[in-house]
Amino acid sequence: MNIVVNEELKAYIDPMSPEEYAALERSILTEGCRDALVLWGDVLVDGHHRYGICQKHGLPFQTVQNTHFKTMEDVHLWMIDQHLGRRSISDYQRGVLALRKKVIVDDQRSRALSETSSDDPPFDVDTPAGESPADNASALPPPAPLNSRESIAKAARLSSSQVVMIEKIQKQAAPELVAAVKSGVISINTAAAVASLPAEEQVTAANAGKDELKQAAKRVREAKRKPREESPEPASNDQSAKPDAVEALEQRVAELTRENDALRKQVADLQAQLAVQLAD
């Protein structure tokens, strides 16, 4: 059997860790290759590690064709969905895969809309859109759009805030910092904080190890917290320097209060005088 290993497909999903690979190898040596390798024609789509182990030890394996694939994008989407459903991948990996899926789905829908508007069929065409019913008979159904951060988070089984942090890591993190969060050395939260630093500082912290990365993240958070803590002080100064209208109003209230107190005293004096006269 001629099986073609496409290096781009093989690297599309992050490889197993050495520990995971060793566990899979022990399982195959003990129980054989239980899951069939998925092919698209001759191209290996799923099972690269299993295929390599079976080749290494001369073990038999089964294959199955996926006839739904029409393009490499279909293959990528299928691979993403397969891995999103697995528990073994990290939160960061799930977030990255969901964001990749969004890009592919957005591109597919944009092209479909463009083709629909530019290739309107004449009225005498027998089938919708000028296609034979068999053209898309075996095509994969279009995936649901990921048009919000909430939908991406749901696909990845993460929170929206985690998706925001993963986007930041992808855009701003140095390769060394990405490697640290991928390997689980640091959390998504820590990596997102360190990604705020200049690239040189990120690399230095990553090369120094887990403790230095945590300290760098702590410094970033403290630097962001200080302006928020200092901001009430000018506000209190502004509050002490009240507008003239407010100050004048307060003075008038004080005057009326004093006048009211004086009137109350006069009333009390008159009542006392009246009481004396009645007594006489």
Side-chain angles (χ1 to χ4, degrees):
M1 180 182 297
N2 181 35
I3 293 181
V4 177
V5 176
N6 182 308
E7 293 301 324
E8 184 268 338
L9 277 183
K10 183 178 180 181
Y12 191 70
I13 305 294
D14 288 336
M16 289 181 173
S17 66
E19 295 77 14
E20 291 171 332
Y21 185 89
L24 177 63
E25 186 171 28
R26 288 194 299 271
S27 173
I28 291 177
L29 289 173
T30 303
E31 305 174 12
C33 187
R34 296 179 296 176
D35 298 323
L37 312 183
V38 178
L39 302 178
W40 179 32
D42 292 337
V43 177
L44 180 59
V45 173
D46 185 61
H48 291 89
H49 293 107
R50 283 172 279 141
Y51 178 65
I53 292 170
C54 289
Q55 290 288 94
K56 175 182 175 181
H57 297 284
L59 299 173
F61 54 86
Q62 301 294 320
T63 64
V64 60
Q65 284 286 341
N66 191 318
T67 58
H68 295 298
F69 299 143
K70 300 300 178 185
T71 66
M72 187 60 75
E73 284 184 339
D74 291 339
V75 175
H76 287 163
L77 285 174
W78 184 88
M79 293 175 72
I80 289 171
D81 286 340
Q82 291 296 305
H83 283 77
L84 284 175
R86 294 174 181 172
R87 297 180 180 178
S88 58
I89 66 172
S90 68
D91 288 347
Y92 179 76
Q93 288 174 308
R94 283 203 305 274
V96 169
L97 291 175
L99 289 168
R100 283 185 191 173
K101 182 175 181 178
K102 172 180 167 51
V103 172
I104 296 173
V105 172
D106 286 350
D107 288 345
Q108 285 185 337
R109 290 182 174 273
S110 296
R111 286 198 305 271
L113 289 173
S114 176
E115 291 168 2
T116 300
S117 60
S118 61
D119 298 332
D120 291 334
F123 288 105
D124 59 349
V125 175
D126 294 331
T127 57
E131 293 180 353
S132 166
D135 287 344
N136 290 319
S138 61
L140 290 169
L146 299 175
N147 50 13
S148 69
R149 199 163 273 130
E150 289 72 20
S151 61
I152 298 170
K154 184 177 180 181
R157 304 199 306 278
L158 301 173
S159 67
S160 296
S161 61
Q162 285 176 305
V163 172
V164 172
M165 289 188 284
I166 292 171
E167 286 179 304
K168 180 179 180 180
I169 293 167
Q170 286 191 298
K171 292 176 182 177
Q172 299 178 215
E176 293 81 357
L177 181 59
V178 173
V181 70
K182 274 186 176 181
S183 63
V185 170
I186 54 173
S187 67
I188 294 172
N189 194 310
T190 298
V194 178
S196 302
L197 297 171
E200 298 79 5
E201 294 184 37
Q202 295 182 37
V203 173
T204 300
N207 290 336
K210 179 178 180 179
D211 290 341
E212 179 55 33
L213 283 167
K214 287 186 174 181
Q215 287 301 315
K218 183 179 179 181
R219 290 194 294 271
V220 170
R221 296 187 189 107
E222 289 177 347
K224 290 181 178 179
R225 193 178 300 121
K226 283 182 180 178
R228 290 199 299 269
E229 293 173 348
E230 294 170 358
S231 59
E233 187 173 337
S236 62
N237 292 337
D238 292 342
Q239 189 176 0
S240 61
K242 296 174 183 176
D244 293 341
V246 175
E247 188 170 342
L249 180 61
E250 289 183 344
Q251 290 177 354
R252 180 58 179 156
V253 169
E255 291 173 2
L256 290 173
T257 301
R258 286 195 296 272
E259 290 177 6
N260 191 34
D261 290 342
L263 289 172
R264 286 180 178 174
K265 187 175 184 301
Q266 290 179 10
V267 169
D269 291 342
L270 289 173
Q271 288 177 338
Q273 292 174 10
L274 179 61
V276 171
Q277 292 175 1
L278 292 173
D280 294 341

